[in-house]
Amino acid sequence: MMIFSLIAVVSISSIFFILPESIKAQSEEKAFVTHSGAVVRTTGEIIDPLYVEATMEFDPMEYLRDFDYGTTSPLPDGTTLREYTIVAEDDKIMEVSPGVFYNAWTFNGSVPGPTIRATEGDTVRINFINNGSKEHTMHFHGIHPAEMDGVFEVVGGGGGQFTYEFIAGPAGVHPYHCHVMPLEEHIVHGLYGVFIVDPKEGREPADEMVMVLNGLDTDFDTENNFYAANTIPFYYQHHPIQIKTNELIRVYVVNMVEFDPINNLHLHGNLYKYYPTGTDLVPSFYTDMITLSQTERGIMEFEYQYPGKYLFHAHKVEFSEKGWVGIFLVSDDDSDSEQETSPATKGDATEYGT
Ligand SMILES: [Cu+2]
């Protein structure tokens, strides 16, 4: 009996001896200093009583269908100028999951930054202001002159300015992001967004939305702790995206996950036409599954025939279990007359194609 007890004690103590190290590694508190000098301590994985205030407001449902067409004016040659003001900051705090706070670096105050949208051939002018504490830039994927590439012309913090100007093209969906070294750090903190270039002939009217697939390394160990579509883990699972049967849905999807080599997107109860990078008007695939590496992106198009709840998520199960999962709530379209008069796109419908 005594020997048994002794063995039990030894076993329990050895478990106890081993476990605390691994727990300690996971829950080790790390600190960072914000631009305003506040010291933030967080383990990134547990409720953090030291830190209770988010300074970044972000509504994934609003972001989903929000397109920034800029301020337009006609140019002498008959083409359109679109002007945008983008402000970078690097001291915002975002609650990414209940009790988990993250130091977000932002374009116009959110992660992702605004979805910049133009038509092929428009002149895009970005008045970039860096109000951060570090150097930042805006690097657009697409075709433009070297000096507009946002790599070598670093913009100093504390109010540095740069004007990016280029002709929008090619048609498709492209990411933009900061390109200051260390690049991984500047991207994972949130300095990225989506740039949509519409083809001159337009696309078929649809209920359009943007999904940026992102990962959040909340304990700064170069591994993601959370994954999401549009920044907030599990958001569209708890707040399903409402769509109609027999209505064309067009999703501009961009993978901005760092650290993990691939991400993917699986749609339930349906298949979608997929246009890689959105550069062709003819789809390359008809599938329910695409795999995306860093900054890979494309356009998905589909319609649901049957009402109900359908999941969409990473089929890399680890990612979906850590937040990259959502639901389309499909309801019957019982308003045929309304459907006929509905605008080309929801959100900024009147701006589409102008
Ligand atoms: Cu940066």
Side-chain angles (χ1 to χ4, degrees), residues 140-198:
F140 285 81
H141 288 214
I143 300 169
H144 46 246
E147 64 272 22
M148 295 298 155
D149 200 39
V151 173
F152 303 110
E153 300 75 18
V154 289
V155 183
Q161 298 195 17
F162 191 90
T163 302
Y164 298 98
E165 189 169 314
F166 50 86
I167 309 293
V173 51
H174 310 293
Y176 67 83
H177 58 86
C178 176
H179 212 296
V180 169
M181 297 296 167
L183 187 55
E184 208 170 53
E185 184 185 17
H186 285 248
I187 292 177
V188 296
H189 275 271
L191 287 173
Y192 52 80
V194 176
F195 174 43
I196 295 173
V197 181
D198 290 311

Side-chain angles (χ1 to χ4, degrees), residues 91-305:
D91 68 337
K92 291 214 180 300
I93 306 299
M94 167 177 62
E95 190 173 20
V96 295
S97 192
V100 178
F101 295 87
Y102 190 61
N103 171 212
W105 299 6
T106 57
F107 286 131
N108 284 4
S110 71
V111 178
T115 298
I116 297 172
R117 190 159 182 174
T119 300
E120 198 175 17
D122 291 347
T123 297
V124 172
R125 182 181 294 161
I126 311 270
N127 301 303
F128 177 60
I129 302 163
N130 180 5
N131 282 344
S133 59
K134 301 169 177 62
E135 292 174 330
H136 298 299
T137 64
M138 289 185 79
H139 161 70
F140 285 81
H141 288 214
I143 300 169
H144 46 246
E147 64 272 22
M148 295 298 155
D149 200 39
V151 173
F152 303 110
E153 300 75 18
V154 289
V155 183
Q161 298 195 17
F162 191 90
T163 302
Y164 298 98
E165 189 169 314
F166 50 86
I167 309 293
V173 51
H174 310 293
Y176 67 83
H177 58 86
C178 176
H179 212 296
V180 169
M181 297 296 167
L183 187 55
E184 208 170 53
E185 184 185 17
H186 285 248
I187 292 177
V188 296
H189 275 271
L191 287 173
Y192 52 80
V194 176
F195 174 43
I196 295 173
V197 181
D198 290 311
K200 278 184 179 158
E201 61 272 42
R203 295 184 194 273
E204 196 182 335
D207 180 2
E208 298 199 312
M209 48 194 85
V210 173
M211 284 188 200
V212 174
L213 310 183
N214 37 17
L216 299 160
D217 171 20
T218 53
D219 58 1
F220 322 114
D221 64 353
T222 67
E223 284 185 18
N224 291 309
N225 303 74
F226 295 91
Y227 297 87
N230 296 342
T231 308
I232 307 296
F234 301 106
Y235 189 86
Y236 299 118
Q237 183 179 345
H238 300 307
H239 307 83
I241 299 171
Q242 300 195 24
I243 58 175
K244 297 277 187 209
T245 52
N246 303 314
E247 183 174 27
L248 180 63
I249 309 299
R250 180 174 298 120
V251 182
Y252 298 89
V253 57
V254 180
N255 179 42
M256 291 306 296
V257 168
E258 282 292 334
F259 307 130
D260 299 282
I262 62 154
N263 199 346
N264 54 32
L265 195 159
H266 170 52
L267 183 66
H268 279 228
N270 213 339
L271 278 79
Y272 47 87
K273 291 176 186 165
Y274 187 66
Y275 306 76
T277 318
T279 43
D280 203 325
L281 297 176
V282 179
S284 299
F285 306 110
Y286 183 51
T287 181
D288 57 21
M289 178 70 186
I290 49 165
T291 298
L292 302 165
S293 73
Q294 277 72 33
T295 71
E296 258 197 308
R297 69 281 187 185
I299 299 174
M300 302 162 48
E301 287 182 346
F302 54 91
E303 290 177 21
Y304 272 97
Q305 292 178 46

